[in-house]
Amino acid sequence: MRKVYPLLDPETLWSFGQGTGVFAASIHTANDTVAPRVYVKHNDTQVVFYDGCLVDCTDRFQAHNAQALLEYWDELPSSLEGQFVAIKVSKNPQSLEIVNDALGMYPVYYLRQGNTYLLSNSAFLLNRISDESELDPLGVSLFLSWGWVGSDRTLHRNIRVIPGGQHWKWDTNFTEPKRTTYFDRTRLAHLDHKKLTPTDIEELADKLLQNCQHLSQNFSPLECPITAGRDSRLLTSLLIRGNINAQFFTRGISDNIDVQIGTQIARHFNLSHTLSSTTAKYVIDDWEETSQQWVQQNNGMVSLAHFAEQPLQLDRLGVQLSGAGGEIARGAYNSPGFLLQNHSIDCIGQYLTRRVMKKRHELLHQQTITIAQNYLQDFVKQVIEEGFSPMDVPDVFYTYERVRRWAGISHLFNRNQHRDVFAPLCTRPFIEKAFSMSAHHRYTQLLHYQLISFLEPKLHHLPIEKSWPAQHPLINYLSKFLSRKFQKLQRKTGIPRKSIITSQDEKWGWLESKRLYIRELCLDQSRSSQLWDFIDRAKFERMISSEINPLIRQPIQLTLWDIATLFEYTQSLILKDVEKVLTQSQTFYEILPLAG
């Protein structure tokens, strides 16, 4: 695993238990680097360890210290916030308990073989020690159709993900764990929709601010992004209001809209601010080694389009705030046309398919698309049965599929080996407040607007990528309708729209730089590869060829990156099998002379 995660320190390796029953082990970054965190605490009879970023919202103990987790273990599910997993293992009597965060953003993978459960925060590790190399049709179909793996699936048929808000416990009397859900999403379906009062806003702001202050007390300065969007602006307002020591940053080239607006915000408030960018040249250099490592770190489930530099050495493991989850309260998958009509289950499934898949179907077999569509229909039916209104379904999907599975592994953990990441907008207070509003008010982005107005109203007077919608639902719908009519008129009359450089343009540059490598990686693998059961080889070969105008590739660049990611991952599985054969052969020849 150190080949996959270079920052792991072998001096931290430990194990607990042996023989039959329960066994646990872990390895992490050097203790001096992660201080004041204490990831592991054990004695003769039990051990508690954790990973992720967590705080005690009751303000009674230091949650980043495993000793405190051991002392307050019985109160953990209700007292912790953040994105994390915490585990307790006991020898006598033998038992294992595991608690994850409320939304399940920290991925915990498990594999059952007979009466044995294997659990890890690395699906790649489970694959290496179990030979579970058969691909999962649903997991692969969702990754290719959506850009991430949803539900409880991975790319492997028998390796799954523990749902969010769970407390599982195994003991000597049962081979199956006792499962307790401490944060059930059905409770969100039954919240009373009401107009937010100033008191509601203040109470939520205090809870979000309190978590940031807890982190700052031990991990100052916090790192925080500033972009042209709303979620980072809300985080910035929290830190300014709390006078919290922070290092703000913006990623992108100088012409990027995030860099332009982020820099202006930092100057206005005199914030400590840095700029960084991952250039096409960096992506090209050492691509074969770094891309394979990236894919293995992310268990094949994060696209190479999101490639990020990982340091080989680290002096200090910091804490970064993330705006992930903010879209939960912004109606990201909603539209006026959807919210103003009544819909059947089939219509909702078709609507979500259009919103999620977009142009991704062009390189896929129909069977791949059908698998993803069928899953969406089943998801919609289940959410309606749980008591949600049809208008809530897109936001439930965004929360429990997009945020939980995509943002969790893409932006919080495996992408950031050199820092812990805390997402205040993925905590229970924010999620509950978002679903206490109607879908109409979520679509007006009311919660973000009022929180920023309360925390730092001056931020409303600074530029933003897209202007705030009208705060009254009907006026907002009318404004959206007129805006789209105007855009259609622009296209008909040939009036050019203002071009904004975004991260997608940078990724397109990466793709064109590595087009030949991607072509060889995918097409040189055997035609019998399982992946061609999902991908139309002929269409892919045509689209990646030099005969195609690069501008034609641009709209489907994310699909091309996803395909390259899967082939990179399956290649690593093939190399693993070859490595195993070579190791076995070497052992045989070493033993043979002794036997002779």
Side-chain angles (χ1 to χ4, degrees):
M1 294 306 291
R2 288 195 67 220
K3 294 180 180 178
V4 180
Y5 302 98
L7 292 177
L8 294 178
D9 179 8
E11 294 296 324
T12 67
L13 179 65
W14 61 271
S15 63
F16 185 89
Q18 59 186 358
T20 60
V22 64
F23 173 84
S26 79
I27 181 173
H28 58 75
T29 308
N31 289 317
D32 291 343
T33 303
V34 303
R37 301 169 187 82
V38 178
Y39 283 126
V40 186
K41 181 64 179 180
H42 55 80
N43 52 39
D44 293 337
T45 61
Q46 58 187 3
V47 58
V48 166
F49 58 108
Y50 80 94
D51 198 14
C53 194
L54 67 178
V55 297
D56 167 38
C57 56
T58 64
D59 200 22
R60 289 176 298 162
F61 60 91
Q62 299 291 348
H64 56 268
N65 189 325
Q67 175 65 48
L69 296 181
L70 176 60
E71 295 174 2
Y72 287 87
W73 183 263
D74 292 338
E75 304 174 41
L76 289 194
S78 60
S79 64
L80 291 183
E81 280 294 357
Q83 295 77 42
F84 62 89
V85 58
I87 303 165
K88 183 172 81 167
V89 181
S90 300
K91 283 185 179 179
N92 188 21
Q94 290 190 341
S95 66
L96 183 149
E97 294 183 66
I98 184 166
V99 175
N100 67 350
D101 60 90
L103 201 54
M105 294 189 69
Y106 189 97
V108 182
Y109 305 101
Y110 69 95
L111 167 66
R112 182 174 182 178
Q113 294 182 321
N115 289 330
T116 299
Y117 273 85
L118 303 174
L119 300 100
S120 176
N121 54 357
S122 170
F124 183 73
L125 175 59
L126 292 183
N127 168 264
R128 286 192 68 97
I129 64 178
S130 67
D131 292 330
E132 282 290 336
S133 57
E134 184 179 1
L135 297 180
D136 177 46
L138 178 56
V140 173
S141 295
L142 295 182
F143 184 80
L144 290 169
S145 300
W146 300 353
W148 75 92
V149 180
S151 186
D152 65 342
R153 301 304 180 114
T154 67
L155 298 177
H156 301 284
R157 184 181 291 274
N158 295 315
I159 299 178
R160 302 295 175 86
V161 183
I162 291 180
Q166 299 293 297
H167 178 196
W168 287 14
K169 181 176 183 179
W170 290 260
D171 60 32
T172 54
N173 298 321
F174 301 95
T175 56
E176 279 289 311
K178 178 183 177 182
R179 295 172 168 89
T180 302
T181 301
Y182 70 87
F183 187 70
D184 194 332
R185 81 176 179 202
T186 57
R187 65 180 292 172
L188 302 177
H190 304 290
L191 294 174
D192 293 331
H193 289 172
K194 60 180 182 179
K195 183 177 180 180
L196 295 179
T197 66
T199 301
D200 293 329
I201 295 298
E202 183 175 357
E203 288 177 352
L204 175 59
D206 287 345
K207 290 178 181 178
L208 298 178
L209 191 55
Q210 185 181 43
N211 289 334
C212 295
Q213 289 170 334
H214 286 331
L215 289 171
S216 178
Q217 289 170 5
N218 297 284
F219 303 105
S220 183
L222 301 181
E223 299 175 41
C224 181
I226 306 180
T227 69
R230 290 148 170 70
D231 302 326
S232 66
R233 190 164 301 215
L234 177 52
L235 297 182
T236 302
S237 69
L238 283 168
L239 298 180
I240 293 175
R241 175 61 177 256
N243 195 27
I244 294 173
N245 184 26
Q247 176 63 54
F248 295 85
F249 66 90
T250 306
R251 295 192 178 99
I253 58 178
S254 58
D255 291 338
N256 188 297
I257 188 66
D258 287 333
V259 171
Q260 294 176 350
I261 293 181
T263 300
Q264 187 170 347
I265 293 173
R267 288 174 179 171
H268 184 87
F269 289 99
N270 195 28
L271 305 174
S272 178
H273 182 230
T274 60
L275 300 175
S276 65
S277 64
T278 302
T279 64
K281 183 181 184 305
Y282 168 76
V283 174
I284 294 172
D285 293 345
D286 301 322
W287 176 263
E288 291 191 24
E289 180 180 350
T290 55
S291 64
Q292 184 181 88
Q293 185 181 70
W294 165 264
V295 169
Q296 292 174 355
Q297 287 176 351
N298 295 286
N299 307 292
M301 292 183 287
V302 178
S303 175
L304 283 164
H306 304 296
F307 184 91
E309 182 179 2
Q310 301 293 338
L312 298 178
Q313 293 182 336
L314 192 66
D315 296 327
R316 173 183 178 269
L317 187 70
V319 172
Q320 176 184 313
L321 298 186
S322 169
E327 301 93 337
I328 295 172
R330 295 200 283 112
Y333 279 161
N334 265 319
S335 69
F338 178 82
L339 292 171
L340 291 173
Q341 299 180 36
N342 294 321
H343 300 281
S344 66
I345 290 177
D346 289 342
C347 289
I348 299 172
Q350 293 167 8
Y351 170 80
L352 279 176
T353 297
R354 293 192 299 271
R355 292 304 304 264
V356 177
M357 295 182 64
K358 296 182 179 178
K359 291 184 177 294
R360 289 183 172 272
H361 63 280
E362 294 185 10
L363 298 178
L364 308 180
H365 288 310
Q366 182 58 47
Q367 180 184 2
T368 306
I369 299 168
T370 300
I371 290 173
Q373 289 174 333
N374 289 341
Y375 174 76
L376 269 175
Q377 292 289 354
D378 291 340
F379 178 90
V380 172
K381 181 179 179 181
Q382 180 181 353
V383 170
I384 294 296
E385 290 175 350
E386 290 172 354
F388 288 94
S389 75
M391 288 184 294
D392 285 329
V393 173
D395 291 335
V396 177
F397 176 82
Y398 200 97
T399 303
Y400 282 90
E401 293 288 348
R402 173 78 170 178
V403 173
R404 174 185 165 240
R405 292 302 316 275
W406 180 78
I409 62 175
S410 294
H411 291 285
L412 267 65
F413 298 103
N414 294 333
R415 183 180 178 181
N416 293 287
Q417 304 302 322
H418 52 296
R419 60 174 63 88
D420 277 340
V421 183
F422 186 89
L425 311 185
C426 292
T427 56
R428 281 171 286 178
F430 187 84
I431 296 171
E432 290 176 338
K433 194 62 68 178
F435 279 95
S436 70
M437 301 187 297
S438 68
H440 299 287
H441 283 101
R442 284 196 295 272
Y443 190 66
T444 67
Q445 306 180 19
L446 180 68
L447 190 55
H448 278 65
Y449 192 88
Q450 292 194 7
L451 278 170
I452 293 173
S453 296
F454 172 76
L455 293 164
E456 182 46 74
K458 292 179 182 178
L459 281 168
H460 279 320
H461 304 296
L462 294 174
I464 196 166
E465 181 177 359
K466 295 181 180 179
S467 60
W468 288 94
Q471 295 300 291
H472 189 284
L474 291 179
I475 299 176
N476 181 33
Y477 296 156
L478 179 60
S479 174
K480 295 279 187 180
F481 174 78
L482 294 175
S483 175
R484 289 173 182 172
K485 286 291 186 182
F486 179 70
Q487 290 174 8
K488 289 182 180 179
L489 180 62
Q490 279 185 311
R491 289 193 292 268
K492 287 182 179 180
T493 56
I495 299 175
R497 298 176 63 188
K498 184 178 180 181
S499 177
I500 297 177
I501 297 177
T502 67
S503 60
Q504 296 300 318
D505 298 301
E506 298 176 52
K507 292 170 185 175
W508 179 40
W510 300 358
L511 179 69
E512 294 306 310
S513 298
K514 299 309 300 177
R515 182 187 61 80
L516 286 176
Y517 175 84
I518 293 172
R519 177 183 171 84
E520 293 174 2
L521 170 70
C522 301
L523 297 180
D524 285 357
Q525 290 197 39
S526 171
R527 287 182 177 271
S528 62
S529 169
Q530 297 178 61
L531 292 175
W532 296 124
D533 294 337
F534 305 92
I535 304 160
D536 190 314
R537 183 184 176 111
K539 291 182 179 178
F540 172 79
E541 188 168 1
R542 176 180 176 273
M543 191 57 65
I544 203 69
S545 73
S546 58
E547 299 174 0
I548 292 293
N549 187 325
L551 291 175
I552 298 177
R553 271 193 292 271
Q554 186 178 24
I556 61 168
Q557 61 167 311
L558 292 180
T559 307
L560 291 170
W561 277 123
D562 294 347
I563 292 172
T565 302
L566 291 182
F567 274 100
E568 188 81 77
Y569 186 68
T570 55
Q571 184 182 64
S572 70
L573 301 183
I574 294 171
L575 292 175
K576 178 202 72 172
D577 293 336
V578 171
E579 180 183 284
K580 182 179 296 185
V581 171
L582 291 174
T583 303
Q584 291 171 343
S585 300
Q586 184 182 20
T587 303
F588 172 76
Y589 284 111
E590 287 174 350
I591 295 176
L592 184 60
L594 298 177

